[in-house]
Amino acid sequence: MANITAQMVKELREMTGAGMMDCKSALNETNGDIEAAVDLLRKKGLSKAAKKAGRVAAEGLVGIFTEGTKAAVVEVNSETDFVARNDHFQGLVKLIAHVALKTGDNVDAILAAPATSGGTVADAIASSIATIGENQSLRRASVLSVTDGVVGSYVHNAIDPGLGKIGVLVALESTGDKAELAALGRMVAMHVAAASPLALDAAGLDPAVVAREKAILAEKNAGKPENVIAKIVESGIKTYAKEVCLLDQLYIHDGGKTVAQAVKEAEGKVGAPIKLTAFTRFALGEGIEKAENDFAAEVAAQAGIKA
């Protein structure tokens, strides 16, 4: 039997919004497996969480660089938030975003590419580690481009142009007015930052995610006739897709229309048809779990003070 701590119950409550005793019971039933407990609460109808949320604790910066009809977004991690405020580190992230734009989204290829300061990007990171005294790494990169149109962008919690905690790219194909298109791209990118869609449309959803949602819906309705369950699951998946697919989501700037409708409506200002073809959203540290540290104890240890 796993030792269920108050911290585990607190974490599960924050992830699901379920009651304390329900969370504790779910953790007991799943032997302390938080992700399994999330699914269990959803199956019991006690949680509306669409996705499991892990603790986001990795630090660093997300950087964006745009040039012409192409843009790159990268995530460079560090051990502490203090490093993100360091001018040298910020310069490193900008350098990596520049290189990614030309190299592509393969991390190994970016690391092996030449840096403007001489040597490779990997050498630049090693030099930054030596200078700052803290481990740093390039975690991921993504590059979007259009044949004719713009790649809109948005950086949330920006500490410098193109640098922040969340970075979004949105690809819009259109022969219309580029200034109007860029303005639309930024608005849609802001929506993506806030709404965190999983895919452009239902066809782009991960089959494993869809299968999981179907299993949860089926188990929540266990005991009903199979044909009834099938209809409930089908309807539930359609509802789920509207919630997590960008084109079907309600536009945060105007809740009376979907993103697809907002893009269609913007064609009047742009002066030509618009097609939203792709998006990328990087949130700093998402999916990375880092052990929580006692900050006071860390400071005391570095100062040579015994607790």
Side-chain angles (χ1 to χ4, degrees):
M1 176 69 71
N3 179 30
I4 309 303
T5 65
Q7 177 59 35
M8 292 167 69
V9 174
K10 177 177 179 290
E11 185 174 344
L12 185 58
R13 285 193 71 192
E14 291 174 349
M15 292 167 69
T16 64
M20 184 182 298
M21 294 310 295
D22 291 323
C23 288
K24 185 175 181 181
S25 175
L27 286 167
N28 279 323
E29 288 186 52
T30 57
N31 201 31
D33 186 325
I34 290 182
E35 292 196 347
V38 171
D39 283 351
L40 180 60
L41 288 170
R42 293 188 62 204
K43 290 170 184 176
K44 291 182 175 180
L46 298 174
S47 167
K48 295 182 179 179
K51 298 174 289 181
K52 295 188 292 289
R55 286 182 297 165
V56 177
E59 303 298 343
L61 286 170
V62 171
I64 286 179
F65 180 66
T66 303
E67 189 172 73
T69 57
K70 195 174 182 181
V73 57
V74 300
E75 178 183 351
V76 184
N77 295 127
S78 60
E79 293 179 49
T80 67
D81 184 52
F82 295 109
V83 173
R85 305 170 198 170
N86 182 288
D87 290 342
H88 185 92
F89 180 74
Q90 292 176 18
L92 174 68
V93 178
K94 289 179 180 179
L95 163 69
I96 294 174
H98 277 68
V99 173
L101 188 76
K102 299 176 182 178
T103 307
D105 56 15
N106 183 281
V107 170
D108 290 334
I110 296 170
L111 292 173
T116 53
S117 55
T120 65
V121 169
D123 293 331
I125 294 175
S127 175
S128 182
I129 292 172
T131 300
I132 296 175
E134 185 172 303
N135 191 34
Q136 299 149 53
S137 62
L138 169 61
R139 182 187 179 199
R140 54 182 172 165
S142 178
V143 178
L144 291 186
S145 62
V146 292
T147 303
D148 191 359
V150 303
V151 178
S153 65
Y154 171 70
V155 175
H156 189 62
N157 284 342
I159 62 172
D160 204 53
L163 299 176
K165 300 295 186 182
I166 298 176
V168 177
L169 301 179
V170 173
L172 297 169
E173 293 276 4
S174 178
T175 59
D177 183 273
K178 298 303 184 284
E180 289 288 351
L181 202 58
L184 172 65
R186 177 175 171 78
M187 295 290 278
V188 175
M190 289 175 69
H191 170 96
V192 172
S196 191
L198 299 182
L200 189 65
D201 52 31
L205 284 172
D206 183 343
V209 171
V210 175
R212 180 183 174 214
E213 291 301 316
K214 285 182 176 180
I216 290 172
L217 286 166
E219 189 158 343
K220 283 177 68 174
N221 292 279
K224 296 177 181 177
E226 287 189 14
N227 64 320
V228 173
I229 292 177
K231 289 181 180 179
I232 291 174
V233 169
E234 181 183 1
S235 175
I237 289 299
K238 287 181 180 178
T239 299
Y240 174 73
K242 288 180 180 179
E243 293 172 351
V244 301
C245 294
L246 176 56
L247 292 173
D248 291 326
Q249 287 181 325
L250 291 178
Y251 197 36
I252 63 166
H253 304 291
D254 183 348
K257 65 187 71 169
T258 65
V259 171
Q261 290 169 336
V263 170
K264 183 67 177 176
E265 188 176 285
E267 291 180 349
K269 284 187 177 180
V270 172
I274 306 169
K275 185 176 182 181
L276 203 171
T277 59
F279 75 90
T280 298
R281 180 186 187 276
F282 280 2
L284 181 66
E286 61 188 348
I288 297 178
E289 190 166 317
K290 181 178 176 183
E292 292 184 5
N293 298 315
D294 185 331
F295 183 68
E298 281 187 6
V299 174
Q302 289 181 22
I305 303 171
K306 293 183 180 181

